[in-house]
Amino acid sequence: MNDTQNNPAGYSIEEGNAASRNAYNWSKKTFANRSGKPGEPAQDLDGGFSNEIRFGAERLGISSDGIGTKIEVAERLNKYDTLGYDLIAMTADDLIAAGFVPTNLSNIIDVNHLDYGVVDEMMRGLHDAANFAQLAITGGEIAELGNRIGGWPGAKMNFNWCSTAIGVLHPSLVQPLSGKTAQAGHVVVALRSPSFRSNGYSLARKTLERLFGENWHEAPYDGTDADQYATWGEAMLAPSLIYAPGVAALLDAGLPLHGVAHITGGGVADNFQRVLKNGLGAMLDNLFEPLPAMRRLCEVGALPPETAYLYWNMGTGMLLVTEESSAAAVVASLQASGYDAQVAGYLTVESGVTLRVGAGELRYAF
C-alpha cells in the first residue's frame, strides 16, 4: 500500500516497515565495528524495537523513539505535563518487551523558539513518569531550530520530543526475550491500555478534523466515558500507561515469559507477529474492548474495524506469552502491580494472527 492518498491515515504502515527494515539493514553493516569489543550489538534480534549491546558480561538494551503527532494535541490544549509518560512508555516498554529493565534515559527537545514555561511543564511530567518507571534521566538537549519545526499555529511553542533509553537484561534471563522459545499452546496475556498511547494520531486527527473542523479539540466529547473528558482534545491527550514496572515484577517473581509485544503503531497483529517465530501463529479471542473514544471515532467517522485495528491499539497495550500453567499467576501478578490483565488467547501451529473481536473475526497473514 504505497498510495497514501487512498490511505485514511495519510501514511503507509507497509512502506514504513519496509523503510525501517532497510534502515536496519544499513545499521547491521556497522555491527562489525564493535565485534569482540565493548558495545558489541546482538546479531539475532531482528524485528524488535530495541537491541542488545554487550560490555563484557554486562548486557544492556537500547531503544529510541518519540511522541509523534500527539504533541499537536498538547499544543492545542496548552497542556504539557502528561507527555513525559508517552515519551518514557515508548522506549521503556520497548526495552522491557525484550527483557531489559529500563535504567536511564536521554532526551532531546527540538523547538521553533524556546518557551521556558512549556519546557518546565514538559520536564516536570517527564520527572513524574521517570519516577513511576524507576529510571534516571541522565542526558538531554534543547535545540532551537526556527522554522524547521512546525506545529499548531496557536501554540506557545512548537516542538518535537524524542528519547533514547537503556536498560539492563534482567538477571533471570539467559538471553533477551524474542519469541524464539515460544511454542504452540502457550498462553497470551493482555494488558489493557487506557489511552491511544502515542500511536495512530494521524488517523485520529484527520478523522476529527473531517468531522468537527479545524478546532476539533474543542468539540464536546460524547463517548461512554464522557464523565472523564469534556472535549475530544482531552480524550485524545490521555497519557500512556507505562508497563515496564509490572513486567519487571513478573521477571523478579521468576514467572516464565517467552515473548512480549508492545502494541504501538501497526496495531495488535502487526506488533504481535514480531514475536511469532518458527512459523507459529496466534488466536486472540479475548482481547480488551476498544476504548470508548476509539469506538466513537469508528461510529461517527465511519471507520471500518480493519482500519481501526491496523492503526490503534484498540484497548490492548501489551501482549505477553507465557506457559499455560503460569498464566493465572502472571495475570495475578500484573493485577497486583495495578494493571488490568487477562488471558487473551493462545499460540497456534498455523501461522498468522486471528483476532476475534466484537466487530467480527479479523485475520492477518504475514
Side-chain angles (χ1 to χ4, degrees):
M1 188 190 305
N2 292 326
D3 183 6
T4 57
Q5 292 181 339
N6 297 323
N7 188 299
Y11 64 90
S12 166
I13 288 175
E14 292 88 346
E15 191 165 355
N17 286 341
S20 294
R21 285 192 297 270
N22 180 56
Y24 186 58
N25 285 335
W26 279 109
S27 299
K28 287 194 292 185
K29 296 178 188 295
T30 70
F31 284 8
N33 294 334
R34 303 307 304 170
S35 180
K37 304 173 183 176
E40 179 180 12
Q43 301 283 343
D44 57 351
L45 292 180
D46 291 16
F49 295 109
S50 61
N51 204 348
E52 178 188 16
I53 49 178
R54 299 168 183 166
F55 291 85
E58 198 69 68
R59 304 173 73 175
L60 305 181
I62 186 167
S63 178
S64 299
D65 207 343
I67 299 173
T69 63
K70 188 172 186 175
I71 288 171
E72 185 186 306
V73 186
E75 292 176 348
R76 286 170 175 266
L77 270 63
N78 191 32
K79 179 176 171 56
Y80 307 94
D81 61 345
T82 62
L83 291 180
Y85 285 87
D86 302 301
L87 188 67
I88 286 182
M90 292 304 101
T91 51
D93 288 345
D94 279 348
L95 285 172
I96 201 64
F100 297 103
V101 179
T103 60
N104 299 81
L105 180 135
S106 180
N107 70 110
I108 182 167
I109 309 171
D110 290 333
V111 307
N112 58 345
H113 59 82
L114 189 60
D115 185 294
Y116 181 95
V118 172
V119 174
D120 180 66
E121 194 174 339
M122 292 164 61
M123 292 303 300
R124 175 159 37 89
L126 189 65
H127 156 274
D128 294 345
N131 287 348
F132 181 91
Q134 289 297 289
L135 57 78
I137 305 165
T138 47
E141 181 182 69
I142 301 171
E144 293 190 76
L145 302 181
N147 62 9
R148 294 294 298 173
I149 300 295
W152 191 58
K156 292 181 179 179
M157 184 181 85
N158 296 139
F159 61 96
N160 190 39
W161 201 8
C162 297
S163 71
T164 293
I166 62 171
V168 61
L169 188 67
H170 193 276
S172 70
L173 298 175
V174 176
Q175 59 187 1
L177 296 172
S178 67
K180 288 190 298 185
T181 60
Q183 300 176 17
H186 278 173
V187 170
V188 182
V189 172
L191 280 163
R192 182 179 179 272
S193 172
S195 72
F196 283 77
R197 295 182 71 72
S198 193
N199 308 101
Y201 276 81
S202 292
L203 174 61
R205 289 184 303 106
K206 286 185 67 173
T207 303
L208 288 165
E209 185 169 354
R210 174 166 56 84
L211 293 169
F212 302 114
E214 169 60 28
N215 291 323
W216 56 262
H217 59 287
E218 299 175 349
Y221 175 68
D222 58 352
T224 56
D225 56 347
D227 59 322
Q228 298 182 42
Y229 311 109
T231 65
W232 271 103
E234 290 180 8
M236 296 303 298
L237 191 59
S240 299
L241 177 60
I242 302 169
Y243 300 116
V247 180
L250 293 176
L251 296 170
D252 289 343
L255 292 167
L257 293 179
H258 295 277
V260 178
H262 181 197
I263 310 305
T264 55
V268 172
D270 184 70
N271 285 282
F272 193 54
Q273 62 90 17
R274 298 173 187 273
V275 301
L276 293 175
K277 313 294 186 184
N278 308 316
L280 294 175
M283 168 62 72
L284 303 178
D285 55 5
N286 191 40
L287 293 166
F288 283 100
E289 288 293 314
L291 302 181
M294 294 170 178
R295 293 200 300 267
R296 192 64 182 135
L297 270 182
C298 288
E299 293 168 359
V300 298
L303 297 175
E306 292 82 2
T307 297
Y309 274 91
L310 181 63
Y311 290 98
W312 299 331
N313 63 60
M314 298 304 279
T316 297
M318 186 166 274
L319 294 171
L320 302 87
V321 179
T322 189
E323 295 159 19
E324 185 176 9
S325 59
S326 300
V330 167
V331 169
S333 174
L334 291 167
Q335 291 175 342
S337 294
Y339 299 90
D340 290 334
Q342 65 189 33
V343 170
Y346 54 91
L347 300 192
T348 62
V349 174
E350 300 80 17
S351 63
V353 176
T354 299
L355 312 181
R356 287 182 180 163
V357 295
E361 186 168 282
L362 305 177
R363 298 182 180 179
Y364 301 83
F366 298 99

